[in-house]
Amino acid sequence: AVSPIARDIIETASLVNGAGVGIELARAKHHANDPYFLQPMDGVDSTGYRASWWTQFYCILWRSWLSVLKDPMLVKVRLLQTAMVASLIGSIYFGQVLDQDGVMNINGSLFLFLTNMTFQNVFAVINVFSAELPVFLREKRSRLYRVDTYFLGKTIAELPLFIAVPFVFTSITYPMIGLKAGVSHYLTTLFIVTLVAN
């Protein structure tokens, strides 16, 4: 005995396979008069979202900003961790001079600059990603917001932290290692480290 639902599915599948019509077209034809099939909702534009791009962006930015402010201990721990790692790297490579050994040591310290900024932020993002993935998928399927508004809002809300961490790290290690003196050289290094962190 085949249930009516199974018979309906077999009929739709044979219609698609036999006639060579696309699945979406066959589904639309099959459910055109079905009162239980979800039809387009009132108030939804052609993109399928009830809110405009800017409204979605603003709401995600505000929610992400509140979640950043809600956990100040996380910010303090990340800044403290950055200061400790920067002090450790600065003390290992303290006071390098420009001879053959010094240049190799500076090369190693720059490598640690970049790898520390890369992996420290990657691990932070992995924690956020795994915690927010179920909520994001549910809200995306509900068509509450687009992926681009979520990404931009989340990134901009966390931007102050992703600027503060490289600033603390570079401000501690740069003078300790004895890298090239001068404000412009320091700012160039800070800019590059901030780009790597972000």
Side-chain angles (χ1 to χ4, degrees):
V2 178
S3 72
I5 295 172
R7 196 173 310 115
D8 190 33
I9 291 172
I10 293 169
E11 185 178 306
T12 303
S14 65
L15 174 73
V16 171
N17 290 335
V21 180
I23 293 174
E24 294 299 322
L25 183 60
R27 238 186 249 151
K29 284 180 182 176
H30 186 72
H31 293 292
N33 297 323
D34 188 352
Y36 299 108
F37 185 69
L38 292 177
Q39 301 298 323
M41 296 172 23
D42 294 332
V44 176
D45 63 0
S46 62
T47 62
Y49 299 100
R50 290 180 184 266
S52 69
W53 191 95
W54 287 106
T55 305
Q56 294 175 30
F57 174 72
Y58 174 76
C59 291
I60 293 296
L61 178 64
W62 182 250
R63 184 174 78 178
S64 299
W65 180 248
L66 288 179
S67 71
V68 168
L69 293 179
K70 190 170 59 175
D71 200 0
M73 183 57 74
L74 179 66
V75 174
K76 291 175 186 173
V77 165
R78 288 212 43 209
L79 290 175
L80 181 64
Q81 175 188 3
T82 301
M84 291 173 61
V85 171
S87 300
L88 179 67
I89 292 173
S91 62
I92 291 171
Y93 293 102
F94 187 77
Q96 296 299 315
V97 293
L98 288 177
D99 58 4
Q100 183 64 33
D101 291 335
V103 169
M104 295 302 289
N105 290 337
I106 289 172
N107 194 12
S109 69
L110 293 177
F111 174 76
L112 286 177
F113 256 67
L114 299 178
T115 55
N116 183 60
M117 283 297 102
T118 301
F119 291 116
Q120 182 181 13
N121 290 314
V122 165
F123 291 135
V125 168
I126 287 173
N127 288 333
V128 170
F129 184 78
S130 62
E132 291 193 9
L133 183 63
V135 174
F136 169 75
L137 290 176
R138 183 179 67 239
E139 292 175 347
K140 172 74 175 83
R141 271 190 238 119
S142 299
R143 314 251 332 138
L144 292 177
Y145 49 76
R146 298 169 174 85
V147 175
D148 58 343
T149 56
Y150 175 80
F151 176 76
L152 288 173
K154 189 79 176 152
T155 302
I156 291 172
E158 293 179 351
L159 194 60
L161 184 61
F162 284 141
I163 289 174
V165 167
F167 176 76
V168 168
F169 184 80
T170 306
S171 297
I172 292 172
T173 54
Y174 196 90
M176 285 183 76
I177 295 171
L179 298 175
K180 192 167 186 179
V183 175
S184 63
H185 302 296
Y186 167 76
L187 291 177
T188 303
T189 305
L190 180 60
F191 178 71
I192 291 170
V193 171
T194 304
L195 284 180
V196 168
N198 282 288

